[in-house]
């Protein structure tokens, strides 16, 4: 299938929320880690379980599949 489009929802250290359960990725550039998030999450190394790119300010993005409307 087509690669998902990603929409930024939070920057390093912020809390975010998603509608339902969605795939969220955390990182910068070409270095990312992702997990399935239901409801609220944290844009932090601890929450995602690792630091995908050390020493760089990261952000969180949600995969927009086209069937989900941003609110």
């Amino acid at each position: 299938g087509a690669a998902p489009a990603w929409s930024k929802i939070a920057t390093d250290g912020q809390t975010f929320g998603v509608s339902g359960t969605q795939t969220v990725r955390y990182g910068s550039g070409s270095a990312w880690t992702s997990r399935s998030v239901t409801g609220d999450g944290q844009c932090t190394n601890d929450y995602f379980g690792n630091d995908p790119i050390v020493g760089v300010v990261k952000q969180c993005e949600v995969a927009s599949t086209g069937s989900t409307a941003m609110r």
Side-chain angles (χ1 to χ4, degrees):
W6 294 91
S7 303
K8 182 177 175 181
I9 54 171
T11 54
D12 224 331
Q14 290 185 322
T15 301
F16 61 85
V18 295
S19 174
T21 300
Q22 303 200 44
T23 300
V24 178
R25 70 177 187 175
Y26 168 68
S28 184
S30 59
W32 299 89
T33 186
S34 63
R35 62 173 284 181
S36 179
V37 177
T38 304
D40 294 335
Q42 303 277 331
C43 199
T44 63
N45 295 337
D46 284 346
Y47 185 77
F48 282 87
N50 66 55
D51 187 343
I53 181 165
V54 179
V56 173
V57 175
K58 290 162 281 288
Q59 64 189 40
C60 288
E61 299 179 348
V62 65
S64 48
T65 58
S67 59
T68 332
M70 297 296 287
R71 307 217 205 311

